Amino acid sequence: MLPNTPFPKALKDFLHPADIGKKNTFSFPEDYMSYCAEIYGKEVNYGVGYWPDNRKPISNATTVYFLYQDLLPGKNMRIIFLKSTNGSNFLPRKIAESIPFSSNKFPEILNYFSIKSTSKEAQIMKQTIEECETPSMRGEDKYCATSLESLVDFVAAKFGQNVQVFSNEVEEENKKQEYTILQGIKMMGENNIICHKERYAYAVLYCHRIKDTKVYKVPLMAADGSKAEAAVVCHMDTSAWHPHHSAFQILNVKPGGPAICHILNSDATVWISTS
């Protein structure tokens, strides 16, 4: 493991022993599925160069993407910090590597976890694998970690041993409300790796390092008085993004236009090089 690198709660939550039996323990909270339907029209995807064919029009009722120029104290946003996308945890590396993780082995994967091919879980797992298999876009270095050990190896290969990792810190989760950006926005660095928790039968993290990306810690105050410190990622160059990416639809801009920021989910982690 990386020395002197305390893990945030978002990462610790994935470390509980996973059920490795061949039974289906894979599920999604109803509030998460409702959130996805409202914000994205379907499932969330993290690969900015990937876009499935079955996407639907999306809503801007909750702030997900916003322009870099709006990252200012006093700006109001309607946000919900969901506790987790699903309850899956990391498998030990030896076990994770013994289970196929590829589209051409998908029937074998479903059989291993006793998941029906016609189920919602199967559909979302298939999308996760496809997203991981899609080639990186220009300026992106991506990797899907299927164990904690493989995650740490990927980060160490890029940044060495001197890293810092953080995630959202939120007092009130699972509650949609108005937040105001406070004074004290802190730019954490431009040499970063963002890891998103995927929806899968065990913990899979979609990690990517994108050129011209800045990461911030943003203090927020909610309408009910609770506080949060959000991890916000700002992409200064979107010219290589898929033209149908939801950010362009929400903000009415085009690839290569103004810089775009987004608030990370509470189960995402940010890794920063401190060298």
Side-chain angles (χ1 to χ4, degrees), residues 66 71 77 166 168 181 186 194 213-218 220 229-234 261-264 270:
F66 58 95
L71 184 59
M77 299 180 179
F166 65 93
N168 292 337
I181 298 178
K186 184 178 180 182
I194 313 299
T213 297
K214 298 179 180 181
V215 178
Y216 293 83
K217 283 187 176 181
V218 179
L220 301 164
E229 186 172 63
V232 172
V233 179
C234 295
C261 301
H262 61 96
I263 301 166
L264 292 180
V270 180

Side-chain angles (χ1 to χ4, degrees), residues 142-180:
K142 59 179 275 192
Y143 175 71
C144 282
T146 58
S147 67
L148 176 62
E149 295 88 343
S150 63
L151 167 63
V152 170
D153 284 352
F154 176 71
V155 173
K158 303 301 178 184
F159 293 159
Q161 300 294 306
N162 299 314
V163 299
Q164 177 184 358
V165 57
F166 65 93
S167 59
N168 292 337
E169 296 180 12
V170 183
E171 291 181 353
E172 191 70 45
E173 294 181 312
N174 296 335
K175 181 179 180 180
K176 185 194 301 182
Q177 56 181 325
E178 291 288 333
Y179 281 86
T180 301

Side-chain angles (χ1 to χ4, degrees), residues 18-34:
D19 185 343
I20 59 175
K22 296 184 180 181
K23 64 179 182 179
N24 179 12
T25 58
F26 179 49
S27 62
F28 300 101
E30 285 301 318
D31 57 353
Y32 175 76
M33 299 309 293
S34 298

Side-chain angles (χ1 to χ4, degrees), residues 88-157:
S88 58
N89 298 318
F90 277 126
L91 293 177
R93 181 181 218 162
K94 187 175 181 180
I95 295 174
E97 290 180 346
S98 72
I99 303 171
F101 188 79
S102 65
S103 295
N104 59 7
K105 297 277 189 173
F106 195 59
E108 185 177 337
I109 296 169
L110 295 182
N111 182 62
Y112 184 93
F113 291 105
S114 301
I115 295 174
K116 294 181 179 180
S117 60
T118 56
S119 67
K120 182 182 297 183
E121 287 83 1
Q123 178 186 352
I124 297 175
M125 286 176 66
K126 185 174 186 292
Q127 181 175 317
T128 291
I129 293 174
E130 289 175 348
E131 188 176 339
C132 288
E133 291 178 337
T134 300
S136 301
M137 70 169 191
R138 174 171 49 85
E140 179 188 32
D141 186 3
K142 59 179 275 192
Y143 175 71
C144 282
T146 58
S147 67
L148 176 62
E149 295 88 343
S150 63
L151 167 63
V152 170
D153 284 352
F154 176 71
V155 173

